[in-house]
Structures are given as C-alpha cells and as structure tokens.
Amino acid sequence: MCGRYTLTVPAEVVAELFALDEVPELAPRYNIAPTQEAPVIRLDPRPDPPRRRLHLLRWGLVPYWADDPSIGNRMINCRVETAAEKPAYREVFRRHRCLVVADGFYEWKKDPGGKQPFWAHRPDGRPFAFAGLWSRWRHGGGRLDTYTILTTEPSPHLAPLHDRMPAILDPADWSAWLDPEVSDPVELRAMIARADGRDLALRPVGRQVNTASYDEPDCVEPLTAPAD
C-alpha cells in the first residue's frame, strides 16, 4: 500500500529528470495524502511528436462512470496483478497511464508503542516515478482529473513493514508506460517487475506524519533515537 509520500525537490530537478518542457512552481511536499492534489506526468498526444506534460491531479481515482466522486477516497491504490481485469481500472490501465512523481514514501511498522513510520527514499535524494493510472470524471460543465498508484509485492528489505509497496518504474520504461499504444497487460506488468525498490534507504521518522494535514520538513527528519 502507499498512503503517504513526498516530493521535496525543486521543479527544475523534476523538469530535467523527466524531460519536461515546462514545470509549474512546485512547493516542497513532505506529506502528500489522499484527496490532495499532486504532480502527475501524462503524455499529451496533440504535439508532433507527443510531449510529456506535468499536471496537478487529485489523489484517489474517480472512474468516469461514477455517480459520486467520493468513491475516489477509497481508490488511492490499485493492485497491479488485477488492474487489467477490474472494471474500475481495466480501461484506464489500457489507455490512461501516468507517472506519479515522488522522492520518497512512508510505510509503518507495528511495535509495542504503536505504529512506527519509516521514510523510504533514494540515498542520493533523486526523485522517481510510481506507476499510476488516471481518469477524467465529468459532471455538468465541470471535470475532475484523478489518479491512483499501482502497488506490487515489496522488495525484501521493505517486506517487514508491509506486504505491498508502490510500483516504482525503471526510467527506461517511462516512455512505454505513458504510450497508449502499449496495451498488453503482460508487457505492462513486466515493466513493474523490473524495478523493485532494492536501492531505497529506510529512515525512521516522527509520528507527526500520521496527521494528513501536517506537511512540514520535520516529517522526513530522522528520529533522535532511531527505531529498531
């Protein structure tokens, strides 16, 4: 599962890494939570050649056929093993894939005093991309663009924290993941299998991240007395 994550690097870093022509100003985010807006990269097919574009979408996928957008509150994650079959995700898995930009995510470990949060991140601080799906919901004259994060089995060093982890794509697969012409579920699942998060470091952090509205730099600061 992925219930909170971070994106703290400047917009210029995101633009360079993901080969974007332009990126809006991005405030550091230390505790991105469901129902909030966050940066997502989609492929714009209108230019020739198509271009990657970064947009702010709401976390929690609302299918186009939904009667009530609150369904998105329960659809923040999707298991990659079943994404191609489930009605809520089948069509967007085939045609509406995206890159969810992050530089870390939180997982929790049960201990006698409660759940201890850990921040998983790359040691060099560089951002990466979760495999995501997006959808457009229309109502009246308005529209709402939303996304979900695909999850997969955890890498060995993350397994003690949770039995799922966000699917992190290898940069070599970013273009194919965004390409709607690539629609074979076997090929798409193979992309996710190629990057398993083994290069991530784990840092125990304070429990202030448990509060969804709290988004401050100390969310990612190490505990003064590290957890086991």
Side-chain angles (χ1 to χ4, degrees):
M1 177 178 178
C2 178
R4 303 285 175 79
Y5 67 98
T6 62
L7 180 61
T8 64
V9 298
E12 311 86 75
V13 175
V14 174
E16 178 184 4
L17 181 63
F18 290 93
L20 302 172
D21 292 335
E22 57 183 37
V23 174
E25 190 63 32
L26 299 174
R29 301 290 303 280
Y30 300 94
N31 196 12
I32 299 172
T35 75
Q36 296 176 358
E37 290 190 339
V40 167
I41 295 172
R42 299 180 290 189
L43 190 68
D44 183 351
R46 292 172 296 180
D48 187 15
R51 298 280 185 176
R52 296 175 184 176
R53 306 289 189 200
L54 185 144
H55 301 276
L56 297 179
L57 275 60
R58 195 176 82 172
W59 187 11
L61 189 133
V62 179
Y64 73 91
W65 44 257
D67 294 324
D68 186 340
S70 65
I71 190 176
N73 302 347
R74 306 189 302 274
M75 299 177 67
I76 65 170
N77 291 157
C78 170
R79 296 174 67 97
V80 67
E81 296 88 346
T82 57
E85 290 81 35
K86 286 199 171 184
Y89 303 110
R90 182 171 53 218
E91 184 64 15
V92 291
F93 185 70
R94 188 172 69 87
R95 299 180 58 244
H96 286 176
R97 297 182 299 274
C98 61
L99 305 177
V100 181
V101 188
D103 60 11
F105 61 94
Y106 299 103
E107 289 294 357
W108 283 258
K109 180 181 180 181
K110 292 181 180 179
D111 67 21
K115 290 186 176 181
Q116 169 60 49
F118 286 78
W119 183 47
H121 61 100
R122 287 186 54 177
D124 62 6
R126 297 281 283 177
F128 44 82
F130 298 141
L133 310 175
W134 71 275
S135 181
R136 176 165 294 164
W137 183 78
R138 298 183 185 273
H139 181 72
R143 76 183 195 191
L144 176 65
D145 285 4
T146 59
Y147 70 96
T148 188
I149 295 172
L150 289 166
T151 66
T152 187
E153 294 184 356
S155 57
H157 71 300
L158 292 174
L161 302 182
H162 202 281
D163 61 358
R164 304 293 294 175
M165 66 172 282
I168 300 172
L169 290 168
D170 190 295
D173 290 322
W174 289 348
S175 293
W177 182 259
L178 291 174
D179 187 350
E181 297 300 317
V182 179
S183 59
D184 180 7
V186 175
E187 182 178 356
L188 294 170
R189 286 194 289 264
M191 294 181 199
I192 291 173
R194 282 195 280 273
D196 59 9
R198 291 176 184 269
D199 61 341
L200 297 177
L202 286 175
R203 174 189 296 176
V205 295
R207 296 184 183 181
Q208 60 269 30
V209 302
N210 296 348
T211 302
S213 60
Y214 191 84
D215 190 356
E216 299 295 337
D218 63 347
C219 286
V220 298
E221 291 179 1
L223 290 180
T224 54
D228 292 337

